[in-house]
Structures are given as structure tokens and as C-alpha cells.
Amino acid sequence: MIKNFKLLLLVSLGFVACNSDEEDISGILPEEPPVTAGSADFSKYVALGNSLTAGFSDGALFIKSQENSYAKLLADQFELAGGGEFRIPFMNDNVGGLLFGGMPNASFGPRLIFNGAAPIPLPGGTPSTETFNVVSGPFNNLGVPGAKSFHLLAPGYGNPANLPAAANPYFVRMASAPGTSVLADAMAQNPTFFSLWIGNNDVLGYALSGGDGTNPITDEATFTFAINTLITTLTSAGAKGVVANIPDVKTIPHFKVVPFNPLSPSNPSFGPMIPTLNATFAQLNQAFAFLGVPERSIQFNTNSNSPVVIHDESLLNISAQLTAVLQGGGLDPVTAALFGSQFGQCRQATNQDLFVLPSSNIIGQLNTARFTTLVGMGVPAATAGQLSINGVTFPLEDKWVLLPSEQADLAAATATFNTIIKNAAEGANLAFVDAFAILTQLSTTGIRFDNFHMTNAFVSGGAFSLDGIHITARGNAYIANKFTEAINATYGSTLRMNKMKDFQIHYPPILN
């Protein structure tokens, strides 16, 4: 019998402390020029966007992360050039997460911390921020975690009666009225300058769901209308601004942690079962070869790591043919039909497949839903258990894997959306930040920032937080500097750059 086992992911974390003796060079270097606004007016700045703008980090939104958002860092520089107050819809604590009517919600839990081996939810972390306690605005940071481009235009996006389908809990607690929109709340403040970084979730939602269809890529017409409406409206009274495009989702560590071949023969729960597994799949592999698809064969290695077995909807479904061949080869009709349906559209993974980070928790685990289904079909419990191990005997479902075809869809949509964003920004003579290029550089050569070399490595890279998606305080500082560079170049301002020593970049394990 195949034993249930849990995948052990070993992440090699290299931490390098960068220290340097500082020398007093006052009087040697020229003084920095005075901070000026150029042709821009920073007196009323509003920031529109999603979780990146809000300051979401380590899987949650909390006070310290909000204070370290790139939008807040920009506002601090704007203040030196005539900028006004920058109001933030602060959470109640540094735990993160939301309550709904006083009750915790698993989708909005506390932030993550690193326990020395892996990211874990903050021990004892209990959210205290109530979704339905509306905080008094108006707010300059209108970044709404989870928002897509068209959500910023949607009336009622902050109406609690519209939860969960047509409203967002983060906007519910900060909206000026139930029927308002994010854009309307921005325009009500008569902004003189704005930042707009939106569109990430229009592709990211599809990626994080493994392209399984539950969170589709926004269609081009909707995206075009949203971006053009946002920029046209925001500039309608003469405001200037800065716009950023969408990074390549494949550059974020969320898709880099789980390898395609995590099944180790040294795993005591898996290794001893390899001969039995291979014997079990031998007849299936013969059937694959007979049908002319030997590349779908399932074989586990005894001396090296093996790929997981995945469902691939881009493959021709040969369940009926497979069933017939297996039955013709002497397998009883019930087992032949079971094998045919389970393996008719599957293969072992390759290094071209990407896996969502949460898949690390289910690979090698019993798929209880599949087990229950098989038992309900009359399959003995022992056999049902053997055929229900995620990624081994039960192909990983689509939601855990980004197939090459799905990656191609994402790349095409991102390229199209970025063209739309850039054309709209240039058409309105706005400053433009190429976030796609920045994140690509981060994932290839890395980026030097002060005394730090940032990469997209999970945990140790310094740029991404513990959820593998959102950026750290250090990453926010660098992004703010790239926004500043674009603003200075476009409007002739002389805003200064952030230095790492100017603010806290690490969060203690527990913050009061």
C-alpha cells in the first residue's frame, strides 16, 4: 500500500550581512541641490492602485507595511517640494488580517514571519481590524488589495452589501460612501498629482489560480476602457502624474520555490514505494506506448528526484481509448475504467511547468476529495488511498500548475496590457515607470541598492516579502526611487532618492 507522505521542500537560504565603516566626508562632497517641484504640483497627491500601492507585505496589510509603501515614501519626498498631508487608511495593528462581524476569516489572516526554516503565520496573531468599521477619510492612499483595473471604476466596490462578489473588504472600510468608487473618492479631493499602478491583478489572479478558469485574465476591451478612463479622468482638471506598467508574473518567487521534481528517493515515505509504484504503472505505460503517446509514461527514479504527475488540459483526452486498451490487455473493466479516467489527460511535469507556492503543502498528501469520490464509487478504501496521493498517483489539479500554454497566455496579455498602459501614459504626457523591466532585471542579474544586492530569491533575496508576491520595505524604497527618477525626468523636479538607512527595513517578530 502506498503510504501518505508529505513533501519536504528544502530551501537553501543564504543570508549575507553587509556592513561598512562610514567615513566623515562632510565638506568634501557637494551639497545636494534644493528639492523643487519643477512643473509638477504635489500639494494634493493621491495614489491609486492595488496591494502594491497599499503596502501589502508578508501576506497581509498592517501598519508598518503601510508606512513603508512606495506611495508613502513618495509622499514624504513630495512634502519637501510643497506636498501636503498624505492620509492612509491604517489598519488597527501590526498583526494584519481582517475580522468580519468580529469573526476571523481564513482568507484574511495574520501576516507571515520567518521561523528560521519557513514562513509561518504570526504565532498568536489575532486580527483586530473590523471590515465593517468604516474609518474616516478622505484618504490619499487609495491602494486596494486585490483590485483589478476595472474595479477602480466600479460604483459600490465599497458597499458591504455587495460582499463578497462585487465589493472589496479593504475598500469597504475606507470608502466615503457605499455607492462610491475608488476613482470617485480620488477625484473628490481635487488632486494635483497622482500615481497609478494598476493591472497586476488582471493577470496575476489567473496565474495564482494556476489558470484553472476561476479567475480569468481581464479581456482586452475592458482593460483598455479602464486604463483610458482612469487616466483621462485623473488628468481632466490638469493634474500631472506617474504611471507604472505590469511586471512579468514569472519573475516573482511565488512560482520559483516548488520544483517540478520534488519527489526524493531519500524520503522514507516515498523511496521504498518506488518499485511498487513503477510496477503498478507498467501496464499503464504499455498502453500509452500502444496508443502512440509514450511521452506520457509515468516512471519514478530510485537514484534521483522524480517529477510530479500533473493534469494537463492541453493534452488530448484519451481516457476512452486508454480504458479500452487496458481492458484488452487483461485489466478488469472497473480498474481499466478507473485508470483510463484518472490518467487519460496527464503526464509527469517538466522544467517548463511552474507551480504555485501553496502546492508545497499538498504534494505527496492524500487528496481527501478524490479518496471520498473513489470510495463512493465502491472502490475499497485501501485501493482508494493508493490512488489518491497528490502528484504521485493522483495527477495534480490545474489550480496548482501553470502550464506552458497558460504561461504563454499570461505573456501575451501582459504585453498587450503594457502597450495600452504606456500609450495612455504617453498620450497624457505623464511620467512612466517600466516595472516590467525592473522586475525582469531583479530576476536575472539582480539589482544593487545602496550596500545590498537584491534578487528575486525567496526569503533571502531581499526584494520580496514572505508571501513570494509582494515587495519588502527595501523593495518599496527602490520602487519609490524609480518613480522619483521618472517624475524628475518628466517634470524637471529635483526630488531626492530614498536611502536604506533612512527607515526601518525589518519587522520584529511581534509588533505591538
PDB file of all heavy atoms in Angstrom, residues 125-162:
ATOM      1  N   GLY A 125      -1.209  35.458  16.415  1.00  0.00           N
ATOM      2  CA  GLY A 125      -1.686  36.669  15.762  1.00  0.00           C
ATOM      3  C   GLY A 125      -3.186  36.644  15.556  1.00  0.00           C
ATOM      4  O   GLY A 125      -3.703  35.816  14.807  1.00  0.00           O
ATOM      5  N   THR A 126      -3.879  37.544  16.209  1.00  0.00           N
ATOM      6  CA  THR A 126      -5.331  37.649  16.070  1.00  0.00           C
ATOM      7  C   THR A 126      -5.672  39.015  15.504  1.00  0.00           C
ATOM      8  O   THR A 126      -5.376  40.044  16.124  1.00  0.00           O
ATOM      9  CB  THR A 126      -6.040  37.482  17.420  1.00  0.00           C
ATOM     10  OG1 THR A 126      -5.697  36.206  17.975  1.00  0.00           O
ATOM     11  CG2 THR A 126      -7.548  37.576  17.248  1.00  0.00           C
ATOM     12  N   PRO A 127      -6.258  39.085  14.317  1.00  0.00           N
ATOM     13  CA  PRO A 127      -6.600  40.380  13.727  1.00  0.00           C
ATOM     14  C   PRO A 127      -7.540  41.177  14.634  1.00  0.00           C
ATOM     15  O   PRO A 127      -8.369  40.603  15.349  1.00  0.00           O
ATOM     16  CB  PRO A 127      -7.292  39.999  12.412  1.00  0.00           C
ATOM     17  CG  PRO A 127      -6.786  38.633  12.099  1.00  0.00           C
ATOM     18  CD  PRO A 127      -6.607  37.961  13.434  1.00  0.00           C
ATOM     19  N   SER A 128      -7.377  42.498  14.579  1.00  0.00           N
ATOM     20  CA  SER A 128      -8.284  43.359  15.342  1.00  0.00           C
ATOM     21  C   SER A 128      -8.959  44.401  14.458  1.00  0.00           C
ATOM     22  O   SER A 128      -9.707  45.241  14.958  1.00  0.00           O
ATOM     23  CB  SER A 128      -7.507  44.072  16.462  1.00  0.00           C
ATOM     24  OG  SER A 128      -6.538  44.957  15.931  1.00  0.00           O
ATOM     25  N   THR A 129      -8.688  44.356  13.156  1.00  0.00           N
ATOM     26  CA  THR A 129      -9.271  45.321  12.230  1.00  0.00           C
ATOM     27  C   THR A 129     -10.602  44.794  11.718  1.00  0.00           C
ATOM     28  O   THR A 129     -10.652  43.770  11.030  1.00  0.00           O
ATOM     29  CB  THR A 129      -8.327  45.589  11.049  1.00  0.00           C
ATOM     30  OG1 THR A 129      -7.072  46.064  11.536  1.00  0.00           O
ATOM     31  CG2 THR A 129      -8.919  46.639  10.122  1.00  0.00           C
ATOM     32  N   GLU A 130     -11.662  45.486  12.038  1.00  0.00           N
ATOM     33  CA  GLU A 130     -13.005  45.079  11.652  1.00  0.00           C
ATOM     34  C   GLU A 130     -13.365  45.692  10.294  1.00  0.00           C
ATOM     35  O   GLU A 130     -13.312  46.913  10.120  1.00  0.00           O
ATOM     36  CB  GLU A 130     -14.016  45.523  12.696  1.00  0.00           C
ATOM     37  CG  GLU A 130     -15.487  45.333  12.323  1.00  0.00           C
ATOM     38  CD  GLU A 130     -15.817  43.885  11.990  1.00  0.00           C
ATOM     39  OE1 GLU A 130     -15.576  43.001  12.841  1.00  0.00           O
ATOM     40  OE2 GLU A 130     -16.316  43.639  10.869  1.00  0.00           O
ATOM     41  N   THR A 131     -13.719  44.833   9.346  1.00  0.00           N
ATOM     42  CA  THR A 131     -14.057  45.278   7.997  1.00  0.00           C
ATOM     43  C   THR A 131     -15.177  46.303   8.000  1.00  0.00           C
ATOM     44  O   THR A 131     -15.144  47.285   7.250  1.00  0.00           O
ATOM     45  CB  THR A 131     -14.476  44.071   7.136  1.00  0.00           C
ATOM     46  OG1 THR A 131     -13.385  43.157   7.050  1.00  0.00           O
ATOM     47  CG2 THR A 131     -14.899  44.499   5.752  1.00  0.00           C
ATOM     48  N   PHE A 132     -16.175  46.110   8.840  1.00  0.00           N
ATOM     49  CA  PHE A 132     -17.375  46.938   8.774  1.00  0.00           C
ATOM     50  C   PHE A 132     -17.302  48.203   9.629  1.00  0.00           C
ATOM     51  O   PHE A 132     -18.276  48.957   9.704  1.00  0.00           O
ATOM     52  CB  PHE A 132     -18.597  46.097   9.150  1.00  0.00           C
ATOM     53  CG  PHE A 132     -18.744  44.872   8.292  1.00  0.00           C
ATOM     54  CD1 PHE A 132     -18.673  43.603   8.836  1.00  0.00           C
ATOM     55  CD2 PHE A 132     -18.919  44.987   6.919  1.00  0.00           C
ATOM     56  CE1 PHE A 132     -18.793  42.473   8.049  1.00  0.00           C
ATOM     57  CE2 PHE A 132     -19.034  43.861   6.114  1.00  0.00           C
ATOM     58  CZ  PHE A 132     -18.977  42.599   6.683  1.00  0.00           C
ATOM     59  N   ASN A 133     -16.156  48.436  10.274  1.00  0.00           N
ATOM     60  CA  ASN A 133     -15.940  49.706  10.974  1.00  0.00           C
ATOM     61  C   ASN A 133     -15.278  50.673  10.009  1.00  0.00           C
ATOM     62  O   ASN A 133     -14.066  50.647   9.797  1.00  0.00           O
ATOM     63  CB  ASN A 133     -15.049  49.499  12.205  1.00  0.00           C
ATOM     64  CG  ASN A 133     -15.773  48.760  13.318  1.00  0.00           C
ATOM     65  OD1 ASN A 133     -16.998  48.630  13.302  1.00  0.00           O
ATOM     66  ND2 ASN A 133     -15.010  48.261  14.276  1.00  0.00           N
ATOM     67  N   VAL A 134     -16.072  51.519   9.390  1.00  0.00           N
ATOM     68  CA  VAL A 134     -15.568  52.435   8.369  1.00  0.00           C
ATOM     69  C   VAL A 134     -14.719  53.514   9.017  1.00  0.00           C
ATOM     70  O   VAL A 134     -15.138  54.158   9.985  1.00  0.00           O
ATOM     71  CB  VAL A 134     -16.728  53.064   7.578  1.00  0.00           C
ATOM     72  CG1 VAL A 134     -16.207  54.056   6.541  1.00  0.00           C
ATOM     73  CG2 VAL A 134     -17.563  51.974   6.909  1.00  0.00           C
ATOM     74  N   VAL A 135     -13.499  53.691   8.483  1.00  0.00           N
ATOM     75  CA  VAL A 135     -12.610  54.728   9.007  1.00  0.00           C
ATOM     76  C   VAL A 135     -12.849  56.028   8.254  1.00  0.00           C
ATOM     77  O   VAL A 135     -13.238  56.030   7.082  1.00  0.00           O
ATOM     78  CB  VAL A 135     -11.139  54.302   8.906  1.00  0.00           C
ATOM     79  CG1 VAL A 135     -10.824  53.214   9.922  1.00  0.00           C
ATOM     80  CG2 VAL A 135     -10.795  53.811   7.504  1.00  0.00           C
ATOM     81  N   SER A 136     -12.623  57.137   8.952  1.00  0.00           N
ATOM     82  CA  SER A 136     -12.967  58.447   8.409  1.00  0.00           C
ATOM     83  C   SER A 136     -11.876  58.971   7.478  1.00  0.00           C
ATOM     84  O   SER A 136     -10.713  59.070   7.862  1.00  0.00           O
ATOM     85  CB  SER A 136     -13.199  59.431   9.561  1.00  0.00           C
ATOM     86  OG  SER A 136     -13.498  60.722   9.074  1.00  0.00           O
ATOM     87  N   GLY A 137     -12.258  59.294   6.262  1.00  0.00           N
ATOM     88  CA  GLY A 137     -11.329  59.830   5.266  1.00  0.00           C
ATOM     89  C   GLY A 137     -11.475  61.333   5.119  1.00  0.00           C
ATOM     90  O   GLY A 137     -11.901  61.992   6.063  1.00  0.00           O
ATOM     91  N   PRO A 138     -11.119  61.899   3.989  1.00  0.00           N
ATOM     92  CA  PRO A 138     -10.662  61.205   2.782  1.00  0.00           C
ATOM     93  C   PRO A 138      -9.227  60.704   2.912  1.00  0.00           C
ATOM     94  O   PRO A 138      -8.461  61.203   3.737  1.00  0.00           O
ATOM     95  CB  PRO A 138     -10.778  62.286   1.707  1.00  0.00           C
ATOM     96  CG  PRO A 138     -10.542  63.570   2.452  1.00  0.00           C
ATOM     97  CD  PRO A 138     -11.185  63.366   3.799  1.00  0.00           C
ATOM     98  N   PHE A 139      -8.879  59.717   2.074  1.00  0.00           N
ATOM     99  CA  PHE A 139      -7.559  59.119   2.128  1.00  0.00           C
ATOM    100  C   PHE A 139      -6.798  59.357   0.824  1.00  0.00           C
ATOM    101  O   PHE A 139      -7.367  59.267  -0.258  1.00  0.00           O
ATOM    102  CB  PHE A 139      -7.676  57.618   2.399  1.00  0.00           C
ATOM    103  CG  PHE A 139      -8.273  57.313   3.737  1.00  0.00           C
ATOM    104  CD1 PHE A 139      -9.567  56.840   3.847  1.00  0.00           C
ATOM    105  CD2 PHE A 139      -7.552  57.530   4.902  1.00  0.00           C
ATOM    106  CE1 PHE A 139     -10.136  56.578   5.081  1.00  0.00           C
ATOM    107  CE2 PHE A 139      -8.103  57.268   6.154  1.00  0.00           C
ATOM    108  CZ  PHE A 139      -9.402  56.791   6.240  1.00  0.00           C
ATOM    109  N   ASN A 140      -5.517  59.653   0.995  1.00  0.00           N
ATOM    110  CA  ASN A 140      -4.662  59.871  -0.177  1.00  0.00           C
ATOM    111  C   ASN A 140      -4.149  58.555  -0.739  1.00  0.00           C
ATOM    112  O   ASN A 140      -3.915  58.453  -1.944  1.00  0.00           O
ATOM    113  CB  ASN A 140      -3.479  60.766   0.186  1.00  0.00           C
ATOM    114  CG  ASN A 140      -3.917  62.103   0.749  1.00  0.00           C
ATOM    115  OD1 ASN A 140      -4.282  62.197   1.916  1.00  0.00           O
ATOM    116  ND2 ASN A 140      -3.893  63.141  -0.072  1.00  0.00           N
ATOM    117  N   ASN A 141      -3.915  57.567   0.129  1.00  0.00           N
ATOM    118  CA  ASN A 141      -3.521  56.260  -0.373  1.00  0.00           C
ATOM    119  C   ASN A 141      -4.785  55.454  -0.622  1.00  0.00           C
ATOM    120  O   ASN A 141      -5.430  54.969   0.305  1.00  0.00           O
ATOM    121  CB  ASN A 141      -2.597  55.515   0.596  1.00  0.00           C
ATOM    122  CG  ASN A 141      -1.972  54.292  -0.057  1.00  0.00           C
ATOM    123  OD1 ASN A 141      -2.557  53.676  -0.939  1.00  0.00           O
ATOM    124  ND2 ASN A 141      -0.758  53.946   0.353  1.00  0.00           N
ATOM    125  N   LEU A 142      -5.116  55.319  -1.907  1.00  0.00           N
ATOM    126  CA  LEU A 142      -6.302  54.582  -2.316  1.00  0.00           C
ATOM    127  C   LEU A 142      -5.919  53.261  -2.979  1.00  0.00           C
ATOM    128  O   LEU A 142      -6.607  52.780  -3.878  1.00  0.00           O
ATOM    129  CB  LEU A 142      -7.143  55.441  -3.268  1.00  0.00           C
ATOM    130  CG  LEU A 142      -7.816  56.647  -2.598  1.00  0.00           C
ATOM    131  CD1 LEU A 142      -8.388  57.606  -3.631  1.00  0.00           C
ATOM    132  CD2 LEU A 142      -8.907  56.198  -1.635  1.00  0.00           C
ATOM    133  N   GLY A 143      -4.819  52.683  -2.520  1.00  0.00           N
ATOM    134  CA  GLY A 143      -4.454  51.349  -2.956  1.00  0.00           C
ATOM    135  C   GLY A 143      -5.355  50.335  -2.286  1.00  0.00           C
ATOM    136  O   GLY A 143      -5.489  50.324  -1.059  1.00  0.00           O
ATOM    137  N   VAL A 144      -5.979  49.471  -3.081  1.00  0.00           N
ATOM    138  CA  VAL A 144      -6.940  48.499  -2.564  1.00  0.00           C
ATOM    139  C   VAL A 144      -6.438  47.090  -2.892  1.00  0.00           C
ATOM    140  O   VAL A 144      -6.446  46.684  -4.057  1.00  0.00           O
ATOM    141  CB  VAL A 144      -8.338  48.702  -3.179  1.00  0.00           C
ATOM    142  CG1 VAL A 144      -9.324  47.697  -2.591  1.00  0.00           C
ATOM    143  CG2 VAL A 144      -8.816  50.130  -2.962  1.00  0.00           C
ATOM    144  N   PRO A 145      -5.975  46.344  -1.900  1.00  0.00           N
ATOM    145  CA  PRO A 145      -5.501  44.987  -2.165  1.00  0.00           C
ATOM    146  C   PRO A 145      -6.548  44.150  -2.895  1.00  0.00           C
ATOM    147  O   PRO A 145      -7.718  44.123  -2.512  1.00  0.00           O
ATOM    148  CB  PRO A 145      -5.230  44.433  -0.760  1.00  0.00           C
ATOM    149  CG  PRO A 145      -4.887  45.640   0.049  1.00  0.00           C
ATOM    150  CD  PRO A 145      -5.797  46.716  -0.477  1.00  0.00           C
ATOM    151  N   GLY A 146      -6.106  43.489  -3.955  1.00  0.00           N
ATOM    152  CA  GLY A 146      -6.993  42.629  -4.728  1.00  0.00           C
ATOM    153  C   GLY A 146      -7.684  43.306  -5.892  1.00  0.00           C
ATOM    154  O   GLY A 146      -8.314  42.634  -6.711  1.00  0.00           O
ATOM    155  N   ALA A 147      -7.568  44.643  -5.998  1.00  0.00           N
ATOM    156  CA  ALA A 147      -8.294  45.356  -7.050  1.00  0.00           C
ATOM    157  C   ALA A 147      -7.688  45.098  -8.429  1.00  0.00           C
ATOM    158  O   ALA A 147      -6.473  45.073  -8.601  1.00  0.00           O
ATOM    159  CB  ALA A 147      -8.296  46.851  -6.758  1.00  0.00           C
ATOM    160  N   LYS A 148      -8.564  44.920  -9.412  1.00  0.00           N
ATOM    161  CA  LYS A 148      -8.174  44.897 -10.811  1.00  0.00           C
ATOM    162  C   LYS A 148      -8.442  46.274 -11.412  1.00  0.00           C
ATOM    163  O   LYS A 148      -9.035  47.142 -10.767  1.00  0.00           O
ATOM    164  CB  LYS A 148      -8.947  43.806 -11.561  1.00  0.00           C
ATOM    165  CG  LYS A 148      -8.668  42.399 -11.044  1.00  0.00           C
ATOM    166  CD  LYS A 148      -9.387  41.339 -11.860  1.00  0.00           C
ATOM    167  CE  LYS A 148      -9.064  39.940 -11.338  1.00  0.00           C
ATOM    168  NZ  LYS A 148      -9.704  38.872 -12.142  1.00  0.00           N
ATOM    169  N   SER A 149      -8.013  46.463 -12.650  1.00  0.00           N
ATOM    170  CA  SER A 149      -8.124  47.786 -13.272  1.00  0.00           C
ATOM    171  C   SER A 149      -9.555  48.321 -13.238  1.00  0.00           C
ATOM    172  O   SER A 149      -9.798  49.461 -12.807  1.00  0.00           O
ATOM    173  CB  SER A 149      -7.631  47.712 -14.719  1.00  0.00           C
ATOM    174  OG  SER A 149      -8.386  46.750 -15.465  1.00  0.00           O
ATOM    175  N   PHE A 150     -10.507  47.520 -13.661  1.00  0.00           N
ATOM    176  CA  PHE A 150     -11.889  47.979 -13.759  1.00  0.00           C
ATOM    177  C   PHE A 150     -12.557  48.148 -12.402  1.00  0.00           C
ATOM    178  O   PHE A 150     -13.577  48.836 -12.289  1.00  0.00           O
ATOM    179  CB  PHE A 150     -12.708  47.019 -14.639  1.00  0.00           C
ATOM    180  CG  PHE A 150     -12.673  45.579 -14.205  1.00  0.00           C
ATOM    181  CD1 PHE A 150     -13.602  45.079 -13.308  1.00  0.00           C
ATOM    182  CD2 PHE A 150     -11.707  44.716 -14.693  1.00  0.00           C
ATOM    183  CE1 PHE A 150     -13.580  43.753 -12.910  1.00  0.00           C
ATOM    184  CE2 PHE A 150     -11.681  43.380 -14.309  1.00  0.00           C
ATOM    185  CZ  PHE A 150     -12.607  42.895 -13.414  1.00  0.00           C
ATOM    186  N   HIS A 151     -12.001  47.538 -11.358  1.00  0.00           N
ATOM    187  CA  HIS A 151     -12.577  47.704 -10.025  1.00  0.00           C
ATOM    188  C   HIS A 151     -12.483  49.142  -9.547  1.00  0.00           C
ATOM    189  O   HIS A 151     -13.313  49.593  -8.749  1.00  0.00           O
ATOM    190  CB  HIS A 151     -11.868  46.792  -9.020  1.00  0.00           C
ATOM    191  CG  HIS A 151     -12.204  45.346  -9.178  1.00  0.00           C
ATOM    192  ND1 HIS A 151     -11.306  44.331  -8.925  1.00  0.00           N
ATOM    193  CD2 HIS A 151     -13.358  44.725  -9.569  1.00  0.00           C
ATOM    194  CE1 HIS A 151     -11.868  43.166  -9.150  1.00  0.00           C
ATOM    195  NE2 HIS A 151     -13.112  43.374  -9.534  1.00  0.00           N
ATOM    196  N   LEU A 152     -11.461  49.882  -9.997  1.00  0.00           N
ATOM    197  CA  LEU A 152     -11.301  51.262  -9.547  1.00  0.00           C
ATOM    198  C   LEU A 152     -12.420  52.157 -10.065  1.00  0.00           C
ATOM    199  O   LEU A 152     -12.635  53.252  -9.542  1.00  0.00           O
ATOM    200  CB  LEU A 152      -9.942  51.814  -9.997  1.00  0.00           C
ATOM    201  CG  LEU A 152      -8.702  51.048  -9.541  1.00  0.00           C
ATOM    202  CD1 LEU A 152      -7.437  51.827  -9.900  1.00  0.00           C
ATOM    203  CD2 LEU A 152      -8.739  50.753  -8.049  1.00  0.00           C
ATOM    204  N   LEU A 153     -13.129  51.713 -11.087  1.00  0.00           N
ATOM    205  CA  LEU A 153     -14.233  52.490 -11.663  1.00  0.00           C
ATOM    206  C   LEU A 153     -15.590  52.078 -11.113  1.00  0.00           C
ATOM    207  O   LEU A 153     -16.583  52.766 -11.353  1.00  0.00           O
ATOM    208  CB  LEU A 153     -14.270  52.297 -13.189  1.00  0.00           C
ATOM    209  CG  LEU A 153     -12.988  52.500 -13.980  1.00  0.00           C
ATOM    210  CD1 LEU A 153     -13.236  52.186 -15.451  1.00  0.00           C
ATOM    211  CD2 LEU A 153     -12.456  53.897 -13.806  1.00  0.00           C
ATOM    212  N   ALA A 154     -15.642  50.974 -10.393  1.00  0.00           N
ATOM    213  CA  ALA A 154     -16.918  50.342 -10.066  1.00  0.00           C
ATOM    214  C   ALA A 154     -17.630  51.013  -8.899  1.00  0.00           C
ATOM    215  O   ALA A 154     -17.146  50.975  -7.759  1.00  0.00           O
ATOM    216  CB  ALA A 154     -16.690  48.871  -9.730  1.00  0.00           C
ATOM    217  N   PRO A 155     -18.811  51.619  -9.122  1.00  0.00           N
ATOM    218  CA  PRO A 155     -19.620  52.113  -8.001  1.00  0.00           C
ATOM    219  C   PRO A 155     -20.037  50.935  -7.119  1.00  0.00           C
ATOM    220  O   PRO A 155     -20.343  49.847  -7.621  1.00  0.00           O
ATOM    221  CB  PRO A 155     -20.831  52.744  -8.691  1.00  0.00           C
ATOM    222  CG  PRO A 155     -20.403  52.990 -10.102  1.00  0.00           C
ATOM    223  CD  PRO A 155     -19.440  51.891 -10.428  1.00  0.00           C
ATOM    224  N   GLY A 156     -20.018  51.139  -5.816  1.00  0.00           N
ATOM    225  CA  GLY A 156     -20.427  50.077  -4.904  1.00  0.00           C
ATOM    226  C   GLY A 156     -19.326  49.100  -4.574  1.00  0.00           C
ATOM    227  O   GLY A 156     -19.575  48.099  -3.887  1.00  0.00           O
ATOM    228  N   TYR A 157     -18.094  49.378  -5.032  1.00  0.00           N
ATOM    229  CA  TYR A 157     -16.982  48.485  -4.722  1.00  0.00           C
ATOM    230  C   TYR A 157     -16.654  48.523  -3.227  1.00  0.00           C
ATOM    231  O   TYR A 157     -15.986  47.646  -2.713  1.00  0.00           O
ATOM    232  CB  TYR A 157     -15.758  48.880  -5.554  1.00  0.00           C
ATOM    233  CG  TYR A 157     -14.640  47.860  -5.590  1.00  0.00           C
ATOM    234  CD1 TYR A 157     -14.884  46.539  -5.957  1.00  0.00           C
ATOM    235  CD2 TYR A 157     -13.334  48.227  -5.272  1.00  0.00           C
ATOM    236  CE1 TYR A 157     -13.861  45.610  -6.005  1.00  0.00           C
ATOM    237  CE2 TYR A 157     -12.301  47.297  -5.318  1.00  0.00           C
ATOM    238  CZ  TYR A 157     -12.567  45.992  -5.689  1.00  0.00           C
ATOM    239  OH  TYR A 157     -11.534  45.077  -5.736  1.00  0.00           O
ATOM    240  N   GLY A 158     -17.198  49.528  -2.536  1.00  0.00           N
ATOM    241  CA  GLY A 158     -17.023  49.623  -1.094  1.00  0.00           C
ATOM    242  C   GLY A 158     -18.313  49.412  -0.325  1.00  0.00           C
ATOM    243  O   GLY A 158     -18.403  49.746   0.869  1.00  0.00           O
ATOM    244  N   ASN A 159     -19.315  48.847  -0.974  1.00  0.00           N
ATOM    245  CA  ASN A 159     -20.614  48.618  -0.341  1.00  0.00           C
ATOM    246  C   ASN A 159     -20.614  47.249   0.331  1.00  0.00           C
ATOM    247  O   ASN A 159     -20.501  46.219  -0.344  1.00  0.00           O
ATOM    248  CB  ASN A 159     -21.721  48.690  -1.390  1.00  0.00           C
ATOM    249  CG  ASN A 159     -23.114  48.642  -0.772  1.00  0.00           C
ATOM    250  OD1 ASN A 159     -23.279  48.240   0.379  1.00  0.00           O
ATOM    251  ND2 ASN A 159     -24.109  49.056  -1.536  1.00  0.00           N
ATOM    252  N   PRO A 160     -20.732  47.180   1.660  1.00  0.00           N
ATOM    253  CA  PRO A 160     -20.704  45.877   2.331  1.00  0.00           C
ATOM    254  C   PRO A 160     -21.800  44.933   1.858  1.00  0.00           C
ATOM    255  O   PRO A 160     -21.637  43.712   1.933  1.00  0.00           O
ATOM    256  CB  PRO A 160     -20.869  46.232   3.808  1.00  0.00           C
ATOM    257  CG  PRO A 160     -21.438  47.614   3.833  1.00  0.00           C
ATOM    258  CD  PRO A 160     -20.920  48.291   2.616  1.00  0.00           C
ATOM    259  N   ALA A 161     -22.907  45.491   1.356  1.00  0.00           N
ATOM    260  CA  ALA A 161     -23.996  44.645   0.862  1.00  0.00           C
ATOM    261  C   ALA A 161     -23.585  43.881  -0.385  1.00  0.00           C
ATOM    262  O   ALA A 161     -24.224  42.882  -0.741  1.00  0.00           O
ATOM    263  CB  ALA A 161     -25.233  45.493   0.574  1.00  0.00           C
ATOM    264  N   ASN A 162     -22.518  44.342  -1.051  1.00  0.00           N
ATOM    265  CA  ASN A 162     -22.067  43.702  -2.284  1.00  0.00           C
ATOM    266  C   ASN A 162     -21.012  42.626  -2.047  1.00  0.00           C
ATOM    267  O   ASN A 162     -20.539  42.000  -3.002  1.00  0.00           O
ATOM    268  CB  ASN A 162     -21.508  44.741  -3.254  1.00  0.00           C
ATOM    269  CG  ASN A 162     -22.576  45.684  -3.772  1.00  0.00           C
ATOM    270  OD1 ASN A 162     -23.759  45.359  -3.753  1.00  0.00           O
ATOM    271  ND2 ASN A 162     -22.162  46.855  -4.243  1.00  0.00           N
TER     272      ASN A 162
END
